[in-house]
Amino acid sequence: MSNAKIGLIGLGTMGAALALNIADKGFDIAVWNRTTERTKAFHDGAGDLASRITPTKTIQDLVNAIAKPRAIILMVPAGQAVDDQIAALRPLLDDDDLIIDAGNANFHDTNRRARDAGDLPFLGIGVSGGEEGARFGPSIMGGGKRQYWDRVAPILTAISAKYKGTPCATWMGEEGAGHFVKAVHNGIEYADMQMIAEVYGMMRDGLGMDHASIGDVFAKWDKGPLQSYLVEISGKVAKAIDPDTNKPMLDVIVDAAGQKGTGRWTVIEAQHLAAPIPAIEAAVVARNLSSQRETRAAGEALFGAAPHHIPHDTVSLETLESALMAGKILCYAQGFGMIGKASEEFGWSLPLPQIAKVWRAGCIIRSAMLDDMATALAEDANRNLMFAPRFADTLKKTHSALRQVVAQGALHGIAMPALASGLAYFDAMRTARGTANMIQGQRDFFGAHGFARMDGGEGHHGPWGS
Ligand code: NDP
């Protein structure tokens, strides 16, 4: 039998959900998993969709079960597993069969795999939305040759999330462009989550609020301009009760955040590109710091406990909401700025407005604000988002709240690395005469690096030696 429309390898959390989604949208799919028991369990649990799914026991069976020209999705851990699966598949495939890596690959690996594939069809696509997104509609960021994207676009757009009817699946560009955009998405996600965690810290430690009340605040914010999946789930997380202890879940969860590396990749790449993304960097650093629990406990014993309560009249809940709004705009401005820089550097022509559009639904950072961002980027993709009139107006109204929150955090020992970095970025970006003249003076003093003069000309040197 060779009539499945598409194949999929890797029936873990994401692969299983994606396969069900594909079958649900009416496409016959053949699946294979390294551990055969998982394939059987998956098929047994597929319910009404089982008739659209062909389970296979070997890769050869999988290949045989797919209609030509074939398309096969890999949903296995990023790295060696992807290379191994490509190596196992290629000898069994025809020259026009397409391999699609839909995991969280480092885009440099996707660039390499696309080049190694030569004329053999290969796509690297970023899929966001976690298990639920994969099952009911993820946001999909495609990369590779356009004609290969077009071949599978009907399936990928059908299974993707829809924002007011518009599919959240777009081709981003050649080679690793899709995985690059997915990595920046994850970097923004880190910063968005960290900023929410910081305002949570201000409510819990600074204002002494209990978790139920904090949950109510997030639920309220989710109905306003901060409406977003992350604010919504933060409210639910804050309100949840541990069935074993009857305490708030947040009281029983260890305060050390994990990561799989995509945030770190974003930060490393930003350094290569000289793209300023301080809020995202701060969020990655905050996760690293969070894992140093013993050192933090020793620090508290040595220096005394922070934080201290802050007077309620200095930071109201409205001030916190405005601060989070300002922080979020600045974080997205940085993320889109980095994408713009990469677009130039790699010659990708990354479609910034479309990127904002595919993030409007399905993915973890989906939010009301992204629709406005898509509009602002469509007006002028090269302009920093913080200068787009609608966001400039909001920043004019909210940056003093951000300043107030960061200042009170600093005064009372409540660490706010991402919000503070966002504020520093804002202040730097609205300071026409900065302080790098001092850096240039120092560099010329010790290294004769030369500097440009305000009254004209490059390569000047100071009178330091005299
Ligand atoms: P899981 O750990 O749930 O599943 C991994 C799957 O890959 C399993 O089917 C496993 O098979 C298979 N596998 C593991 N190693 C190999 C190998 N060396 N060769 C062949 N198959 C292998 O992972 P996820 O589904 O969570 O993630 C899959 C990909 O999707 C990753 O790249 C991940 O980063 C990405 N992703 C994950 C998201 C999430 O929220 N979980 C969101 C977006 C992307 P077996 O049953 O034999 O162990």
Side-chain angles (χ1 to χ4, degrees):
M1 185 177 68
S2 60
N3 54 12
K5 190 89 181 136
I6 194 161
L8 182 139
I9 289 178
L11 290 168
T13 308
M14 291 296 282
L18 212 57
L20 291 175
N21 186 358
I22 291 170
D24 212 3
K25 295 293 176 304
F27 302 102
D28 290 340
I29 179 167
V31 295
W32 178 80
N33 192 69
R34 180 179 61 174
T35 312
T36 308
E37 295 80 60
R38 204 198 272 253
T39 312
K40 184 172 175 348
F42 166 74
H43 193 244
D44 289 348
D48 293 347
L49 298 174
S51 61
R52 289 205 178 282
I53 300 169
T54 306
T56 61
K57 289 187 179 157
T58 66
I59 298 195
Q60 183 67 66
D61 289 347
L62 174 83
V63 169
N64 293 344
I66 307 166
K68 296 180 182 183
R70 302 176 183 92
I72 299 178
I73 296 174
L74 302 181
M75 215 27 156
V76 297
Q80 193 58 44
V82 175
D83 287 315
D84 290 348
Q85 289 310 311
I86 293 173
L89 271 173
R90 278 288 180 220
L92 310 178
L93 296 179
D94 296 333
D95 283 356
D96 56 351
D97 290 342
L98 169 62
I99 297 177
I100 305 163
D101 175 18
N104 266 340
N106 183 316
F107 83 98
H108 289 295
D109 284 338
T110 308
N111 284 346
R112 168 180 56 79
R113 289 176 187 130
R115 284 166 202 167
D116 287 351
D119 290 333
L120 300 173
F122 177 76
L123 288 175
I125 67 171
V127 175
S128 175
E131 183 178 12
E132 196 193 325
R135 175 63 185 90
F136 298 107
S139 168
I140 298 177
M141 294 144 262
K145 291 204 172 93
R146 179 71 203 229
Q147 72 259 34
Y148 304 138
W149 169 263
D150 289 341
R151 239 167 77 179
V152 281
I155 298 179
L156 297 179
T157 50
I159 65 165
S160 74
K162 310 288 179 298
Y163 179 83
K164 297 183 178 168
T166 305
C168 293
T170 295
W171 179 75
M172 299 295 166
E174 299 287 324
E175 300 188 330
H179 278 135
F180 175 83
V181 172
K182 172 73 201 300
V184 180
H185 163 284
N186 285 23
I188 292 173
E189 178 185 311
Y190 274 49
D192 209 337
M193 292 168 75
Q194 176 63 25
M195 286 179 177
I196 291 171
E198 289 173 15
V199 296
Y200 155 70
M202 180 60 95
M203 286 192 269
R204 184 191 67 182
D205 302 327
L207 304 179
M209 291 169 63
D210 61 39
H211 283 116
S213 312
I214 292 171
D216 287 339
V217 171
F218 282 128
K220 183 169 172 236
W221 289 355
D222 190 42
K223 295 189 170 59
L226 279 173
Q227 187 280 320
S228 64
Y229 175 70
L230 283 171
V231 167
E232 177 197 336
I233 64 165
S234 301
K236 290 179 177 166
V237 168
K239 283 185 172 195
I241 300 294
D242 173 34
D244 294 334
T245 60
N246 228 19
K247 290 182 181 167
M249 277 309 301
L250 282 172
D251 278 341
V252 300
I253 299 177
V254 172
D255 56 332
Q259 57 174 309
K260 285 189 175 165
T262 44
R264 184 166 56 233
W265 293 345
T266 309
V267 168
I268 291 169
E269 209 47 49
Q271 293 297 340
H272 286 304
L273 289 164
I277 56 163
I280 296 171
E281 284 170 7
V284 175
V285 171
R287 286 205 194 182
N288 295 338
L289 265 175
S290 78
S291 65
Q292 299 190 6
R293 291 184 69 223
E294 285 182 14
T295 312
R296 289 189 286 116
E300 182 168 312
L302 179 62
F303 298 109
H308 308 292
H309 282 218
I310 61 168
H312 273 64
D313 58 352
T314 54
V315 174
S316 67
L317 293 174
E318 290 72 30
T319 308
L320 267 185
E321 184 180 18
S322 294
L324 188 53
M325 230 143 70
K328 184 166 171 145
I329 292 169
L330 294 163
C331 147
Y332 280 69
Q334 294 167 25
F336 279 108
M338 176 174 173
I339 293 173
K341 197 96 202 296
S343 195
E344 281 168 35
E345 197 78 14
F346 305 138
W348 272 341
S349 305
L350 293 168
L352 272 78
Q354 280 74 21
I355 292 170
K357 283 184 179 170
V358 296
W359 291 348
R360 290 179 303 182
C363 66
I364 303 295
I365 62 171
R366 60 187 182 264
S367 74
M369 231 183 247
L370 270 164
D371 194 37
D372 287 340
M373 289 181 183
T375 308
L377 290 164
E379 287 159 10
D380 183 352
N382 297 318
R383 175 183 56 195
N384 184 317
L385 261 187
M386 64 180 269
F387 296 116
R390 68 194 72 210
F391 293 113
D393 285 348
T394 307
L395 279 172
K396 281 178 192 168
K397 290 182 194 129
T398 55
H399 77 87
S400 60
L402 178 59
R403 199 172 301 287
Q404 182 66 359
V405 168
V406 169
Q408 291 301 327
L411 286 172
H412 295 87
I414 302 173
M416 313 207 115
L419 288 171
S421 300
L423 178 63
Y425 175 84
F426 174 78
D427 283 334
M429 293 301 275
R430 61 106 176 241
T431 300
R433 177 78 174 142
T435 54
N437 48 334
M438 172 56 97
I439 305 289
Q440 288 299 80
Q442 292 164 339
R443 291 180 70 236
D444 190 58
F445 190 106
F446 64 68
H449 292 292
F451 53 81
R453 289 181 60 98
M454 294 292 284
D455 51 9
E458 303 275 336
H460 293 280
H461 295 283
W464 333 118
S466 58

